[in-house]
């Protein structure tokens, strides 16, 4: 392997830039040439490819988002589209790729590997929903943003004796919601892993009011229920002013935390080293503070994310 490419794909996450930087700098350090592929698999298909030198990644370690751009490109699921994309890799003499993204991006990486272009997947998503790693790049930054938002909501809901529902991202993974609930001291946490009953939640809220609680924060993972409707129901049932706040894409932006920059730097460097060992079709994780790697398909199809029951119990007992 002499020349590698790097791309970011799927939803962006803070820390992706730090990962790209690490791929470029480690690659150059180990005598490789590194090319940036802009706008994910779509850009690969369109030939948006440029060489990167060490200065191309100056002043990006502290920037959120991804300077390479990202895209959703469902066409990449078709063999023909991938063959066309491979023509571009051939044109630029790129032998191997580092793909930073979520599980969808991993599928693309696996397929390219099977077609003779070894790829390594780096988990970049705020959702923390990828198996084989305790943390994904972007999770820690998003967690801090959500906690700050909850702190702000607490100020105003305490002043107005209001019930606040905060809708938090994570797709179908409750890690961001659970972490934010514990760090933000939310009264209730609703996550997909534990199921949801509106009647039960209403009962708990009423019990809280009976105990003398004048304001409350409900941390709610996205895709569980319609939070605006829930706010109406709570207000009708309790007589307490209730508001829903959907944090939305605010959670995806901003300066990456030190943790995310360090994780991204380690993962980017590790990915390049794996490629140099002729390892393709692998994805990277951090487990017990150590870098690990697994077969991508095994990871997506067979590995399960462990649920943090201890943290869930804590959110309950500290409320
Ligand atoms: P996030 O978790 O942030 O949404 P993701 O990587 O899972 O990130 P997707 O949109 O699912 O996001 O996937 C990103 C891209 O990967 C897709 O737009 C597509 O180009 C490619 N991709 C997804 N699934 C496949 C597949 N089965 N085969 C080939 N390429 C795929």
């Amino acid at each position: 392997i002499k020349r590698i490419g790097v791309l970011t794909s799927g939803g962006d996450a803070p820390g992706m830039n730090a990962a790209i930087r690490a791929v470029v700098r480690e690659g150059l350090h180990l005598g490789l040439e590194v090319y940036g592929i802009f706008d994910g698999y779509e850009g690969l298909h369109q030939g948006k490819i440029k060489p990167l030198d060490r200065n191309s990644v100056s002043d990006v370690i502290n920037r959120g988002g991804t300077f390479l751009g990202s895209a959703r490109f469902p066409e990449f699921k078709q063999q023909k589209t991938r063959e066309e994309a491979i023509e571009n890799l051939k044109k630029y003499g790129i032998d191997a790729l580092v793909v930073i993204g979520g599980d969808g991006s991993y599928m693309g990486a696996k397929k390219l590997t099977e077609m003779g272009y070894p790829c390594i997947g780096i988990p970049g998503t705020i959702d923390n929903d990828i198996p084989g790693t305790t943390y994904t790049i972007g999770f820690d930054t998003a967690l801090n943003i959500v906690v700050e938002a909850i702190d702000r909501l607490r100020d105003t809901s305490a002043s107005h004796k209001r019930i606040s529902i905060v809708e938090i991202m994570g797709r179908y993974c409750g890690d961001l919601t659970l972490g934010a609930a514990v760090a933000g001291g939310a009264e209730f946490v609703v996550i997909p892993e534990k199921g949801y009953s509106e009647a039960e939640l209403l009962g708990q809220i009423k019990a809280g009011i009976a105990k003398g609680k004048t304001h409350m924060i409900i941390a709610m993972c996205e895709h569980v229920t319609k939070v605006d409707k829930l706010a109406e129901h709570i207000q009708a049932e309790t007589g307490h002013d209730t508001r829903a706040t959907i944090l939305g894409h605010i959670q995806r932006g901003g300066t990456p935390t030190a943790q995310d920059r360090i994780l991204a730097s380690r993962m980017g460097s590790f990915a390049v080293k794996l490629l140099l060992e002729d390892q393709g079709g692998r994805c990277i994780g951090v487990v017990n503070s150590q870098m690990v790697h697994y077969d991508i398909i095994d990871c997506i199809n067979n590995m399960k994310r462990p649920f943090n029951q201890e943290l869930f119990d804590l959110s309950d007992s500290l409320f």
Side-chain angles (χ1 to χ4, degrees):
I1 288 175
K2 295 258 180 303
R3 194 174 279 178
I4 63 171
V6 56
L7 64 82
T8 48
S9 168
D12 66 308
M16 280 183 162
N17 281 323
I20 300 163
R21 171 181 179 273
V23 170
V24 172
R25 297 254 166 112
E26 189 67 76
L28 296 173
H29 178 68
L30 296 173
L32 298 171
E33 290 177 74
V34 187
Y35 278 62
I37 295 154
F38 290 78
D39 300 334
Y41 293 123
E42 186 171 28
L44 178 60
H45 186 249
Q46 293 172 353
K48 292 187 185 167
I49 301 173
K50 278 192 201 150
L52 298 176
D53 60 20
R54 69 180 311 292
N55 295 337
S56 319
V57 289
S58 298
D59 300 326
V60 302
I61 195 164
N62 56 326
R63 276 167 48 198
T66 158
F67 82 90
L68 287 178
S70 189
R72 306 227 184 245
F73 184 54
E75 293 87 341
F76 206 68
K77 291 179 188 166
Q78 294 156 20
Q79 173 87 4
K80 188 171 169 293
T81 308
R82 290 196 302 275
E83 281 165 4
E84 288 161 4
I86 282 178
E87 286 308 310
N88 287 326
L89 291 176
K90 282 188 191 151
K91 195 160 107 194
Y92 287 88
I94 296 168
D95 315 303
L97 278 183
V98 177
V99 172
I100 307 165
D103 48 5
S105 308
Y106 277 19
M107 287 303 293
K110 178 64 182 178
K111 298 216 166 123
L112 285 176
T113 303
E114 285 163 0
M115 293 165 84
Y117 287 82
C119 295
I120 302 288
I122 293 184
T125 166
I126 66 162
D127 299 332
N128 215 37
D129 61 350
I130 302 181
T133 188
T134 312
Y135 298 112
T136 56
I137 295 169
F139 173 71
D140 186 63
T141 305
L143 181 56
N144 280 283
I145 290 166
V146 176
V147 172
E148 191 195 317
I150 290 179
D151 290 347
R152 287 168 190 252
L153 284 168
R154 178 186 293 283
D155 289 348
T156 170
S157 59
S159 305
H160 285 267
K161 302 186 176 48
R162 192 184 283 145
I163 298 172
S164 269
I165 309 166
V166 197
E167 187 188 284
I168 298 164
M169 278 183 165
R171 286 214 289 189
Y172 302 98
C173 174
D175 286 15
L176 199 52
T177 304
L178 183 54
V182 172
E187 274 71 17
F188 302 106
V189 55
V190 183
I191 51 175
E193 291 89 338
K194 287 290 172 185
Y196 170 64
S197 148
E198 185 175 304
E200 205 175 297
L201 180 64
L202 279 168
Q204 288 168 335
I205 291 169
K206 285 179 188 165
I209 294 169
K211 273 201 280 182
K213 278 199 173 279
T214 54
H215 60 279
M216 293 179 216
I217 292 173
I218 303 161
M220 170 80 71
C221 187
E222 64 179 342
H223 303 312
V224 172
T225 191
K226 294 251 179 291
V227 285
D228 287 325
K229 279 266 167 288
L230 175 63
E232 284 172 20
H233 295 171
I234 294 173
Q235 186 157 329
E237 286 275 331
T238 65
H240 275 252
D241 186 20
T242 306
R243 300 286 174 89
T245 304
I246 298 173
L247 297 178
H249 279 160
I250 295 282
Q251 297 162 93
R252 289 245 290 257
T255 305
T257 58
Q259 284 293 352
D260 270 331
R261 298 183 203 188
I262 292 169
L263 181 65
S265 300
R266 291 176 73 195
M267 287 183 164
S269 158
F270 191 58
V272 173
K273 288 175 180 163
L274 285 179
L275 283 177
L276 279 174
E277 287 170 14
D278 277 336
Q279 303 254 21
R282 312 291 292 175
C283 59
I284 288 180
V286 63
V287 175
N288 296 330
S289 308
Q290 302 295 313
M291 288 291 115
V292 292
H293 58 99
Y294 303 100
D295 178 78
I296 287 188
I297 291 300
D298 192 35
C299 173
I300 298 172
N301 291 348
N302 306 322
M303 291 173 65
K304 294 264 171 296
R305 288 194 53 78
F307 179 69
N308 195 337
Q309 185 66 39
E310 185 216 328
L311 207 55
F312 185 76
D313 293 341
L314 199 59
S315 74
D316 195 37
S317 61
L318 299 189
F319 129 70

